[in-house]
């Protein structure tokens, strides 16, 4: 059995073999986009390691050949399971590429598949524990090389609204881990246009080409080194709620997908939350940040993951942290809402909140988190006090505020109109049921 695959446009194996990260990098190669050279160690190699505690026989020789092809370089070693598990497993950067160092790095990443945080994440998301992870080894590009270097993340469209405008964040003079950790203040993505216009143009071109290929919004992680853009990861945008509705109708209007495809792309479950609740204007706002997952959540303040788990047994909890990390996953799962002092739209807290559908506010600049209380807007709020967060507007308020819900927008009305044409449903019925009825008809037609 072969354990190593070189990353190129010719690699045709599925994510179950090479992992989702490598599968995305193969697409980038096929589209002619800039990707650092590298190779991938398959998920089966991980499964062998997890069963036996040893790297599989023959892997060493394959790694030696792969290292020879890649040449002397510094590499990154990243996990890449078939299903995305953001931040849950180890990543090793700036590794000097030798057989011994790579063996140890592979063991570390493979072992991280079974860390408590990774197992908790898989349990929460219904991911089988026996899949294992692939590992991607790539030549490093350095976002901290000089003043014309940096890293960032980008969505081809706004994940909160579905608006057709690139959205994300960028950090000059830093590697990508500084962006996603939330520990460093980032800039809006468009800052790249002013500082490095060539890299900005290349990024827009890449987003457009990937979206045209997928006929869907996309998310990319990138680094630019001395003004030259490199793409490190790509996946579908995974929009929900109102953003999913707008994306589907816009793509149908542009002819990228049919109206029937648009109807099948929006989940009835997400449609039940498409009329996003907002905190009423008369609420007692004590802090403002960046809303990264729409909705309103109210609960008692908890300041550690363990505290959130314990307090959640007695009612809703809002987890308030300086920033979150993979070690906080149990607390994030227990909380109904999330607030962090640091971080942007691609920080750990934001990514996990969106994956779990939990209203969240990040980047609350004046938030200080203590052991028994937090300070927001100059006001001290004790652990256990009731607060609410608006994941759309980015407000944090004291107490349990009045909540208002907006009406259906034009995109939702049009999508439901298409649904009714397919199913013959009456407009007065529940919106999610109207969409579901249309999807049943469309799937029956496909089956016929």
């Amino acid at each position: 059995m072969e354990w190593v695959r070189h990353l190129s446009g010719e690699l045709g194996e599925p994510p179950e073999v090479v992992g989702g990260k490598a599968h995305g990098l193969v697409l980038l190669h096929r589209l002619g986009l800039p990707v650092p050279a590298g190779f991938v160690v398959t998920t089966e190699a991980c499964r062998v390691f997890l069963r036996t505690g040893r790297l599989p026989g023959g892997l060493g020789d394959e790694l030696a050949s792969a290292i020879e092809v890649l040449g002397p370089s510094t590499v990154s070693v990243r996990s890449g399971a078939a299903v995305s598990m953001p931040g849950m497993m180890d990543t090793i950067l700036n590794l000097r590429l030798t057989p011994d160092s790579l063996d140890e790095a592979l063991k570390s990443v493979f072992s991280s598949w079974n860390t408590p945080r990774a197992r908790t994440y898989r349990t929460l998301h219904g991911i089988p524990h026996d899949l294992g992870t692939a590992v991607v080894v790539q030549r490093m590009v350095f976002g901290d090389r000089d003043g014309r270097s940096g890293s960032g993340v980008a969505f081809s469209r706004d994940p909160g609204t579905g608006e057709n405008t690139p959205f994300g964040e960028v950090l000059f003079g830093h590697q990508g881990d500084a962006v996603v950790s939330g520990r460093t203040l980032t800039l809006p993505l468009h800052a790249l246009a002013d500082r490095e216009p060539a890299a900005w143009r290349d990024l827009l071109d890449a987003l457009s080409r990937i979206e045209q290929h997928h006929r869907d919004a996309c998310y990319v992680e990138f680094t630019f080194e001395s003004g030259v853009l490199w793409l490190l990861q790509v996946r579908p945008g995974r929009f929900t709620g109102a953003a999913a509705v707008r994306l589907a109708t816009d793509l149908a209007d542009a002819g990228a997908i049919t109206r029937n495809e648009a109807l099948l792309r929006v989940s009835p479950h997400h449609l039940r939350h498409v009329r996003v609740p907002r905190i009423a204007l008369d609420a007692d706002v004590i802090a403002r940040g960046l809303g990264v997952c729409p909705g309103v959540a109210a609960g008692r303040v908890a300041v550690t993951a363990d505290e959130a788990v314990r307090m959640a047994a007695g009612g809703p909890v809002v987890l308030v942290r300086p920033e979150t990390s993979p070690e906080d996953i149990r607390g994030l799962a227990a909380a109904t809402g999330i607030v962090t002092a640091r971080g942007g739209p691609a920080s750990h807290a934001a990514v996990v909140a969106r994956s779990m559908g939990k209203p969240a506010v990040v980047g609350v600049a004046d938030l200080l988190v203590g052991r028994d209380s937090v300070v927001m807007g100059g006001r001290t709020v004790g652990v256990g006090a009731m607060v609410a967060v608006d994941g759309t507007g980015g407000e944090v308020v004291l107490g349990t505020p009045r909540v208002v819900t907006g009406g259906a927008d034009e995109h939702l009305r049009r999508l439901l109109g298409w649904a009714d044409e397919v199913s013959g449903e009456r407009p007065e019925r529940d919106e999610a049921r109207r969409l579901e009825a249309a999807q049943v008809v469309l799937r029956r037609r496909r089956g016929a």
Side-chain angles (χ1 to χ4, degrees):
M1 178 177 289
E2 294 185 354
W3 310 104
V4 175
R5 309 287 192 274
H6 289 277
L7 290 172
S8 73
E10 285 71 48
L11 186 59
E13 290 174 288
E16 290 75 18
V17 175
V18 298
K21 184 169 291 163
H23 196 255
L25 294 174
V26 169
L27 169 65
L28 297 178
H29 274 289
R30 290 176 181 170
L31 294 177
L33 295 171
V35 182
F39 56 89
V40 58
V41 182
T42 65
T43 56
E44 181 57 32
C46 177
R47 289 191 288 269
V48 170
F49 176 82
L50 295 175
R51 287 196 305 267
T52 67
R54 298 187 301 273
L55 297 177
L59 175 58
D61 290 339
E62 291 185 41
L63 290 176
S65 297
I67 291 172
E68 186 175 346
V69 171
L70 201 56
S73 60
T74 305
V75 298
S76 63
V77 183
R78 303 175 188 268
S79 62
V83 181
S84 178
M85 294 174 52
M88 294 301 131
M89 289 175 286
D90 288 354
T91 290
I92 298 169
L93 302 178
N94 302 314
L95 181 75
R96 292 301 303 174
L97 190 54
T98 67
D100 288 342
S101 67
L102 186 54
D103 278 2
E104 293 307 309
L106 287 175
K107 292 175 184 177
S108 175
V109 177
F110 284 160
S111 297
S112 69
W113 174 260
N114 276 331
T115 58
R117 66 178 185 262
R119 295 190 68 86
T120 298
Y121 186 90
R122 291 197 297 273
T123 299
L124 291 170
H125 290 80
I127 301 171
H129 291 298
D130 59 355
L131 291 180
T133 182
V135 176
V136 175
V137 180
Q138 279 184 292
R139 184 174 292 142
M140 286 285 295
V141 287
F142 296 95
D144 55 357
R145 179 173 293 280
D146 54 34
R148 299 190 57 208
S149 302
S151 301
V153 299
F155 291 88
S156 59
R157 302 184 186 224
D158 189 318
T161 66
E163 182 182 357
N164 187 11
T165 184
F167 180 89
E169 52 192 321
V170 65
L171 195 55
F172 294 90
H174 287 76
Q175 295 286 68
D177 58 329
V179 178
V180 298
S181 70
R183 292 189 297 269
T184 306
L185 183 63
T186 58
L187 296 171
L189 181 66
H190 199 270
L192 184 62
D194 300 325
R195 289 270 296 266
E196 292 295 332
W200 172 251
R201 287 193 301 271
D202 289 345
L203 178 62
L204 293 184
D205 176 64
L207 293 173
S208 175
R209 289 160 68 179
I210 297 165
E211 185 170 292
Q212 288 174 23
H213 173 84
H214 279 306
R215 300 182 304 141
D216 199 354
C218 66
Y219 164 89
V220 301
E221 297 178 7
F222 64 90
T223 289
F224 49 102
E225 182 182 87
S226 301
V228 177
L229 179 74
W230 296 91
L231 301 182
L232 308 179
Q233 185 170 350
V234 62
R235 61 169 172 76
R238 298 174 187 162
F239 292 178
T240 61
V245 171
R246 176 164 183 173
L247 174 61
T249 54
D250 282 355
L251 289 173
D253 289 342
I257 61 176
T258 66
R259 288 184 176 184
N260 288 350
E261 287 177 299
L263 290 169
L264 290 168
R265 286 198 178 187
V266 180
S267 162
H269 169 73
H270 292 143
L271 203 60
R272 290 188 174 94
H273 304 284
V274 75
R275 297 176 186 267
V276 180
R278 299 293 308 275
I279 292 175
L281 295 177
D282 57 1
D284 184 9
V285 177
I286 57 174
R288 297 182 188 274
L290 176 67
V292 291
C293 187
V296 173
R300 295 178 299 147
V301 169
V303 295
T304 69
D306 289 342
E307 192 172 69
V309 172
R310 185 174 64 253
M311 291 172 58
V317 170
V318 172
L319 178 62
V320 183
R321 299 283 296 144
E323 76 256 351
T324 66
S325 75
E327 303 300 333
D328 294 317
I329 188 65
R330 291 178 65 248
L332 292 165
T336 59
I338 302 160
V339 179
T340 65
R342 296 186 282 273
S347 63
H348 179 267
V351 171
V352 173
R354 284 193 294 266
S355 74
M356 294 182 174
K358 296 178 183 285
V361 176
V362 303
V364 180
D366 59 355
L367 168 61
L368 300 174
V369 180
R371 177 177 296 180
D372 301 312
S373 64
V374 300
V375 178
M376 287 186 270
R379 298 166 68 175
T380 300
V381 180
V383 167
M386 185 65 69
V387 297
V389 299
D390 187 324
T392 302
E395 295 85 12
V396 183
V397 307
L398 198 60
T400 305
R402 188 166 57 91
V403 176
V404 296
T405 303
D409 67 9
E410 177 61 25
H411 301 283
L412 177 58
R413 284 193 293 269
R414 294 180 64 222
L415 187 78
L416 292 173
W418 300 344
D420 295 342
E421 290 174 9
V422 169
S423 67
E425 284 288 332
R426 299 185 305 276
E428 62 269 18
R429 289 199 65 186
D430 173 82
E431 292 168 347
R433 291 176 184 268
R434 289 162 66 188
L435 177 61
E436 193 168 22
Q439 291 180 343
V440 168
V441 171
L442 292 172
R443 291 190 178 108
R444 282 176 181 166
R445 290 178 184 173
R446 283 185 173 183

